Amino acid sequence: SAGFGHLSCLVKYAEQKSEQWDGHVPNEFSEPWGVCPNCCQDYQNELALDLAAEFATFVKGTYPDDQWRYIEALFLKLRVLECMPLKPK
């Protein structure tokens, strides 16, 4: 694989998948924002952080009164930040 993709395309895909979520499988709402649909590996580094930020923005705009979904989006962002290498000062 080339190891890259268009962020806007990945966001559009994840938005569509999240909007199709029926509530039955717990991780299906957030999974498209954190896992590649082709290789099933977690996104990493800046791409993971960008997608997590987009997820929070999407939830805030699409489900403004749903605190649980927003917490789920923030939790994904926190997990990504936890895995990112620290930058030297």
Side-chain angles (χ1 to χ4, degrees), residues 9-78:
C9 294
L10 295 172
V11 168
K12 190 67 157 169
Y13 168 80
E15 287 175 347
Q16 291 172 351
K17 294 300 283 184
S18 291
E19 288 171 348
Q20 295 170 0
W21 183 59
D22 61 9
H24 292 210
V25 179
N27 292 336
E28 273 187 2
F29 181 70
S30 62
E31 187 173 289
W33 300 93
V35 178
C36 175
N38 294 317
C39 68
C40 300
Q41 293 183 34
D42 290 345
Y43 294 119
Q44 298 177 5
N45 302 320
E46 292 299 320
L47 177 59
L49 187 57
D50 289 345
L51 283 168
E54 291 286 344
F55 184 29
T57 300
F58 165 75
V59 170
K60 194 88 165 159
T62 308
Y63 308 99
D65 298 324
D66 193 330
Q67 291 181 343
W68 289 110
R69 288 184 196 206
Y70 190 57
I71 288 169
E72 189 171 355
L74 292 177
F75 185 68
L76 174 63
K77 191 170 182 179
L78 181 61

